[in-house]
Amino acid sequence: MTGEPSAGVYAVSITPFARDGALDEDGLRAHLRRLGDAGVGVYVGGGGSGEGYTLSPAEHRRVAEVAVDELRGRVPVRAMGVEPRTAAEMVAYVEAMAAAGVDAVQIYSLDVGHGHRPSPAAVEAYLTEVLERTAVPAVVSTHQSVGYNVPVPLLARLAERFDVLAGVNCSHQDLGYLAELIDAVGGRLEVHVGGPYQALAAYALGADGFLSSEANLAPRLAASVAVARRAGDGAALLDAAGRLVRLAMLLYGHGGILATKAVLGRFGRPGGFPRKPHLPLADDVAAELAAEVAGLGVPEIEGWNETA
């Protein structure tokens, strides 16, 4: 499913909006082309980087359609979505994304809300119901955002039962859990970690790659981590991974995707504005961030500069 050259890295794409909050389809297309040119896989509509909680069902569908139109056949195109409250909510999203033509859909962990956690039996029932009704390749997410991990034995059982299950996205800080997961399903399922912080450890344990919000700003840099790993170039791998982690710390220290969009704008690249309730960063903060991004060598790596 991953393809070449650098689909071991997936950009969790931003969703560009106009200043008035409308979906900026032209900006989205231009942004997706940048990602495709760098050779990274793409997830769209995510609840974090994609501001998916602000998208209507029709907008989720349109974002996926645009991504398929721009990228299918070039790099893997997947839909991420947001944490659902019910299995029916997740199934409706999967069906809409399948109709849009994506290569795969992420099945987010169940979030029952109000700070509660579902029982292990409820998690198994939820994932079973969704996978039974899924016809497109599926990637199960086990994510710290919901306050629990999906038990590894359950994921192993699901991998044996459902051919449609193609991978797991693991976004936890626990390397022991990651190692257990890879030992149980690695080779049968793709395993990607959420973000660049664990990328090197994940590679060492046998994972396929990592997801990256930072790839919205620096897709060539993100892709170069996977390229160096495949080439066995340790020096290049450490340099690229170190730059990407520093970029991640810089962006997340200033609002995450808000910082990404602000810096893209400073460098004349399509990123658009955040949608309310998020607010844009102040111009002076954006200027300082752009200078720090330049100090990491990102403009040279990506082939652009602030006046482009």
Side-chain angles (χ1 to χ4, degrees):
M1 287 183 58
T2 51
E4 292 292 342
S6 306
V9 179
Y10 280 84
V12 183
S13 178
I14 60 172
T15 308
F17 300 107
R19 190 180 292 274
D20 65 0
L23 180 64
D24 179 3
E25 186 170 313
D26 289 341
L28 175 61
R29 288 182 180 277
H31 178 68
L32 292 170
R33 286 194 291 269
R34 284 189 64 236
L35 301 181
D37 289 345
V40 294
V42 175
Y43 276 96
V44 295
S49 300
E51 297 174 77
Y53 281 108
T54 74
L55 298 175
S56 69
E59 287 174 327
H60 270 291
R61 171 74 176 263
R62 186 57 188 157
V63 166
E65 289 171 342
V66 169
V68 169
D69 186 47
E70 291 290 342
L71 298 177
R72 191 165 193 179
R74 298 181 61 199
V75 296
V77 182
R78 299 180 174 184
M80 180 165 280
V82 302
E83 295 90 339
R85 291 288 197 249
T86 65
E89 182 181 334
M90 190 73 249
V91 168
Y93 179 78
V94 169
E95 291 176 344
M97 297 302 100
V102 299
D103 296 317
V105 179
Q106 179 176 269
I107 310 300
Y108 246 129
S109 296
L110 183 66
D111 182 356
V112 294
H114 212 58
H116 296 297
R117 300 178 186 179
S119 68
V123 172
E124 181 163 7
Y126 157 74
L127 288 172
T128 299
E129 181 177 349
V130 173
L131 289 170
E132 284 177 339
R133 300 172 63 185
T134 296
V136 67
V139 180
V140 168
S141 168
T142 173
H143 201 292
Q144 61 194 12
S145 65
V146 294
Y148 66 90
N149 58 41
V150 179
V152 169
L154 169 57
L155 291 168
R157 290 197 299 275
L158 295 173
E160 291 289 346
R161 180 176 174 185
F162 294 102
D163 290 339
V164 74
L165 184 55
V168 178
N169 289 336
C170 178
S171 298
H172 293 281
Q173 301 304 309
D174 185 351
L175 287 177
Y177 173 79
L178 176 62
E180 182 186 358
L181 173 64
I182 293 169
D183 289 345
V185 302
R188 285 184 291 166
L189 304 180
E190 297 177 5
V191 177
H192 291 81
V193 294
Y197 295 106
Q198 290 184 339
L200 296 185
Y203 282 146
L205 291 170
D208 294 275
F210 61 96
L211 313 181
S212 175
S213 176
E214 305 73 29
N216 285 291
L217 184 62
R220 292 183 185 177
L221 174 60
S224 71
V225 175
V227 170
R229 180 229 181 176
R230 261 199 317 277
D233 188 338
L237 175 62
L238 293 176
D239 178 74
R243 288 176 192 260
L244 193 63
V245 168
R246 290 182 184 278
L247 179 61
M249 292 189 293
L250 177 63
L251 295 175
Y252 277 97
H254 293 83
I257 208 61
L258 306 181
T260 298
K261 287 189 168 186
V263 173
L264 283 169
R266 294 290 302 183
F267 283 97
R269 292 308 185 268
F273 297 87
R275 179 179 271 184
K276 290 181 178 178
H278 296 305
L279 299 174
L281 292 189
D283 287 344
D284 59 336
V285 176
E288 292 175 4
L289 281 172
E292 293 191 65
V293 168
L296 290 173
V298 171
E300 292 77 15
I301 293 169
E302 300 301 319
W304 39 263
N305 56 56
E306 193 168 355
T307 59

